[in-house]
Amino acid sequence: MNDVTLETERLILRMWREADFEEYVQLCADPEVMRFLGGKVFDRTEAWRHMASMIGHWYLRGFGIWAVEEKASGRLVGRIGCIYPEGWPGFEVGWTLKREFWGKGYATEGARRALQYAFKELDKPHVISLIQAENVASIRVAERLGETIEGTAKVMGIDVLVYGIDRSSQQGSKVRNADEWK
């Protein structure tokens, strides 16, 4: 497994720790957070299994979802990273934050760093983000990353929009130079 840690100005994207579990349970128990992630909150057992699944993805694929820590407080903000599980429509960068951290730009900041990692370190030519049409906040994050709508898909029985970006793309407010992704 790759023990990869990434940093941004305000965040640390790092491997999961058992000590993250209680805060992860809180994230998974919030109906507003889980609204666009299947629409069902997780109990403690389901949250444990999901956290273990994210760790397992690192072992099986060599990349995955990071625990996101706020530098200033050391608190778990949420999860951001790269996923491509069996049956997925493409290599995805995704994000989920605890509600108290919404509206601070953390999703964009962390996802931008994960996207850079996907293009530069993992040499991915194309990355997608799967977002439900009603999830306006995540659509705005995808657009700030320079992603554009590419179509639709059904993932785990849920209809989603497929946003995507090529490494060579120069779209988006922060993607001014394609060399940034090389």
Side-chain angles (χ1 to χ4, degrees):
M1 180 173 91
N2 297 332
D3 190 6
V4 176
T5 300
L6 304 178
E7 289 194 36
T8 69
E9 181 182 338
R10 301 177 296 164
L11 304 172
I12 299 171
L13 286 68
R14 59 162 174 78
M15 290 299 120
W16 290 90
R17 304 175 188 143
E18 188 173 354
D20 295 325
F21 181 61
E22 291 304 326
E23 288 196 82
Y24 193 64
V25 167
Q26 292 171 16
L27 179 148
C28 294
D30 186 329
E32 280 301 305
V33 171
M34 301 302 285
R35 179 176 170 202
F36 298 116
L37 301 171
K40 176 185 170 294
V41 298
F42 291 173
D43 64 23
R44 291 181 65 80
T45 301
E46 291 165 321
W48 178 265
R49 287 180 179 159
H50 191 263
M51 195 168 127
S53 173
M54 289 186 292
I55 295 166
H57 193 286
W58 279 96
Y59 279 97
L60 294 172
R61 299 280 196 202
F63 56 85
I65 300 287
W66 288 276
V68 179
E69 181 180 309
E70 184 182 46
K71 284 182 178 179
S73 68
R75 296 214 32 236
L76 183 74
V77 169
R79 63 185 197 217
I80 295 175
C82 308
I83 57 172
Y84 193 18
E86 182 60 31
W88 229 238
F91 181 95
E92 180 179 12
V93 166
W95 50 87
T96 302
L97 304 184
K98 292 173 73 177
R99 193 178 347 170
E100 67 193 88
F101 295 104
W102 292 0
K104 298 176 186 267
Y106 286 165
T108 302
E109 183 176 327
R112 181 173 290 121
R113 184 63 185 95
L115 190 61
Q116 290 171 343
Y117 181 80
F119 287 145
K120 190 172 182 178
E121 304 303 320
L122 299 177
D123 198 31
K124 297 296 179 186
H126 186 77
V127 174
I128 64 169
S129 295
L130 304 172
I131 305 169
Q132 289 186 35
E134 301 82 18
N135 191 345
V136 176
S138 279
I139 289 170
R140 281 192 296 243
V141 171
E143 290 172 345
R144 282 193 290 273
L145 296 175
E147 295 184 3
T148 57
I149 187 103
E150 296 179 343
T152 60
K154 189 176 275 291
V155 177
M156 296 171 44
I158 299 170
D159 292 321
V160 294
L161 300 172
V162 179
Y163 277 77
I165 186 170
D166 290 329
R167 182 175 44 220
S168 61
S169 174
Q170 294 185 356
Q171 298 176 10
S173 61
K174 296 289 185 178
V175 186
R176 293 187 178 91
N177 183 347
D179 290 336
E180 177 181 344
W181 305 120
K182 292 180 184 173

